[in-house]
């Protein structure tokens, strides 16, 4: 058996093995999208058989066809490879690297959610610092109201518009302080809930990463579970983002004068003059609260972000460089028969030269053996 004969036998065998592996990985990849074995198995078996028959046809015809026919075969081969990429290669990549791509997506989504939640927690800590400062302002205005009952500002003892205004300001800052504390408590409770959800989500991600390629049902269940958890995480993060007291404090602070001033028609001149002097004190309080509550620009910079789960078919594209090994394996398996066709075409001239050399050698006349004289056959005396 010549080397060419061995090659002619081995190439179809190896191509058949590649098509068989491709059919298996295609079925495993399809199983992550559908639980119907007839669909996944039927598509994989039909696709693998088609690729094997088509590759055999090209091996027998392409290397020995003329230039025009080779161009036609090549065009058909390109169309077939494009179709094979859709019904075979991509699903093979999902089988070999789909669960890893999904696990990577889960981890990165959770990392992004952690960054956003921590940013919200830091913002809550900044806003929580408003509470003691607002409580301090409340106490200061309560002290001023107590002094005014003894005539400290208007010179008149007892209750009046000035005392009422000062106490209104005290109560306003006290209410703001309690509001800030309540928002901080709510936000920290939401963050605790967020940590519970992310712990559950990371457990699902770890199970997905540890799952075997044949556990398609488990992978689908994990995807659904992770999607459900992401929905709850989105809700919690959105509530954390909306649970802010800084904006409320700024609005109240800007309208502090109209909310607290209680001038009356029967006020004395001294009381009216005292209320006018309090305007400067209120302006100073507004300025202080505005500085400690931050600017409106910081509020407008808050962004809403929604986290979503993606299917394995998209994950292998989004994280293609992270699962490059799967792409290399899936493409290589489906290209093996085509590579053999190219090698057979390139080796055609060498094979023809060898066959011509063998044919030329077979056509040469076989030289007749020359007779050799033996002793006693030549005329004359025999050798002693």
């Amino acid at each position: 058996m010549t080397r060419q004969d061995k090659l002619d036998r081995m190439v179809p065998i190896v191509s058949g093995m590649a098509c068989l592996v491709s059919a298996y990985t295609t079925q495993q990849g399809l199983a992550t999208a559908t639980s119907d074995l007839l669909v996944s198995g039927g598509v994989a078996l039909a696709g693998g058989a088609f690729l094997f028959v088509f590759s055999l046809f090209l091996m027998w015809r392409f290397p020995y066809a003329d230039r025009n026919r080779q161009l036609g075969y090549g065009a058909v081969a390109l169309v077939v490879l494009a179709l094979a990429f859709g019904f075979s290669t991509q699903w093979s990549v999902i089988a070999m690297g789909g669960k890893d791509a999904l696990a990577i997506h889960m981890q990165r989504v959770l990392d992004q959610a952690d960054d956003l939640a921590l940013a919200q927690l830091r913002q809550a800590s900044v806003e929580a610092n408003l509470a003691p400062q607002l409580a301090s302002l409340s106490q200061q205005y309560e002290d001023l109201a107590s002094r005014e009952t003894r005539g400290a500002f208007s010179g008149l003892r007892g209750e009046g518009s000035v005392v009422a205004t000062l106490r209104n300001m005290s109560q306003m800052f006290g209410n703001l302080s309690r509001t800030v504390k309540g928002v901080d408590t709510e936000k920290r409770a939401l963050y605790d809930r967020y940590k519970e959800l992310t712990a559950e989500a990371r457990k699902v991600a770890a199970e997905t990463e540890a799952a075997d390629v044949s556990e398609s049902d488990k992978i689908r269940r994990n995807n659904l579970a992770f999607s459900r958890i992401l929905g709850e995480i989105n809700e919690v993060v959105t509530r954390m983002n909306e649970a802010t007291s800084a904006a409320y404090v700024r609005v109240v602070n800007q309208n502090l004068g109209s909310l607290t001033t209680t001038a009356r028609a029967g006020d004395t001149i001294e009381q009216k003059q005292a209320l006018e002097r309090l305007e400067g004190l209120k302006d100073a309080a507004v300025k202080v609260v505005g500085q400690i509550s931050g600017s409106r620009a910081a509020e407008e910079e808050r962004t809403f972000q929604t986290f979503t789960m993606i299917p394995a078919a998209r994950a292998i594209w989004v994280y293609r460089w992270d699962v490059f090994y799967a792409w290399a394996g899936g493409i290589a398996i489906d290209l093996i028969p085509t590579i053999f066709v190219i090698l057979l075409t390139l080796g055609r001239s060498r094979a023809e030269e060898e066959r011509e050399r063998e044919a030329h050698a077979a056509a040469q006349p076989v030289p007749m053996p020359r007779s050799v004289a033996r002793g006693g056959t030549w005329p004359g005396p025999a050798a002693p």
Side-chain angles (χ1 to χ4, degrees), residues 173-249:
F173 286 126
N175 291 336
L176 288 177
S177 176
R178 288 187 289 273
T179 300
V180 169
K181 290 180 180 178
V183 171
D184 180 62
T185 301
E186 178 186 2
K187 210 161 190 175
R188 293 187 181 278
L190 289 172
Y191 184 73
D192 291 338
R193 174 58 179 162
Y194 168 80
K195 289 192 295 184
E196 294 175 0
L197 291 173
T198 51
E200 185 179 353
R202 292 188 189 280
K203 180 180 179 181
V204 174
E207 291 177 354
T208 300
E209 188 174 7
D212 189 74
V213 67
S214 60
E215 297 177 313
S216 55
D217 291 338
K218 182 178 181 180
I219 295 175
R220 286 198 302 272
R221 288 195 302 269
N222 287 347
N223 289 350
L224 293 175
F226 193 83
S227 298
R228 176 187 58 79
I229 298 172
L230 274 187
E232 297 185 26
I233 288 176
N234 286 328
E235 180 183 356
V236 170
V237 171
T238 301
R239 290 174 60 187
M240 288 180 65
N241 194 42
E242 293 175 349
T244 175
S245 57
Y248 176 71
V249 170

Side-chain angles (χ1 to χ4, degrees), residues 78-288:
L78 290 177
V79 174
V80 171
L81 289 177
L83 294 175
F85 184 86
F87 71 76
S88 176
T89 305
Q90 184 174 223
W91 296 109
S92 296
V93 176
I94 292 175
M96 290 184 282
K99 69 180 185 66
D100 292 338
L102 288 174
I104 292 171
H105 175 73
M106 293 176 181
Q107 294 293 344
R108 294 190 180 180
V109 164
L110 291 176
D111 290 341
Q112 294 173 4
D114 283 344
D115 292 340
L116 184 58
L118 287 174
Q120 295 295 330
L121 189 63
R122 286 193 296 269
Q123 182 64 27
S125 299
V126 173
E127 293 181 0
N129 293 330
L130 289 172
Q133 300 179 62
L134 291 170
S136 177
L137 286 173
S138 175
Q139 185 61 44
Q140 291 177 20
Y141 279 100
E142 180 62 32
D143 294 341
L144 291 175
S146 298
R147 291 173 56 190
E148 172 58 15
T149 58
R150 298 187 297 272
F153 297 101
S154 63
L156 301 175
R157 292 178 177 273
E159 301 290 335
S161 298
V162 178
V163 174
T165 299
L166 290 172
R167 283 182 175 166
N168 285 345
M169 293 178 67
S170 175
Q171 291 175 1
M172 185 67 68
F173 286 126
N175 291 336
L176 288 177
S177 176
R178 288 187 289 273
T179 300
V180 169
K181 290 180 180 178
V183 171
D184 180 62
T185 301
E186 178 186 2
K187 210 161 190 175
R188 293 187 181 278
L190 289 172
Y191 184 73
D192 291 338
R193 174 58 179 162
Y194 168 80
K195 289 192 295 184
E196 294 175 0
L197 291 173
T198 51
E200 185 179 353
R202 292 188 189 280
K203 180 180 179 181
V204 174
E207 291 177 354
T208 300
E209 188 174 7
D212 189 74
V213 67
S214 60
E215 297 177 313
S216 55
D217 291 338
K218 182 178 181 180
I219 295 175
R220 286 198 302 272
R221 288 195 302 269
N222 287 347
N223 289 350
L224 293 175
F226 193 83
S227 298
R228 176 187 58 79
I229 298 172
L230 274 187
E232 297 185 26
I233 288 176
N234 286 328
E235 180 183 356
V236 170
V237 171
T238 301
R239 290 174 60 187
M240 288 180 65
N241 194 42
E242 293 175 349
T244 175
S245 57
Y248 176 71
V249 170
R250 282 194 294 269
V251 171
V252 173
N253 187 53
Q254 292 171 358
N255 299 276
L256 184 63
S258 59
L259 293 173
T260 58
T261 301
T262 57
R264 302 171 185 174
D267 288 342
T268 64
I269 296 176
E270 291 80 1
Q271 288 178 326
K272 292 180 180 179
Q273 291 175 348
L275 289 175
E276 291 177 359
R277 290 195 299 271
L278 287 179
E279 291 296 328
L281 190 60
K282 286 189 290 186
D283 292 340
V286 169
K287 184 177 180 180
V288 170

Side-chain angles (χ1 to χ4, degrees), residues 48-70:
F50 170 75
L51 290 178
F52 179 64
V53 173
F54 182 73
S55 65
L56 287 183
F57 176 84
L58 288 182
M59 291 176 193
W60 294 337
R61 296 296 183 88
F62 190 88
Y64 308 103
D66 55 32
R67 180 67 61 179
N68 292 332
R69 288 185 178 275
Q70 284 185 342

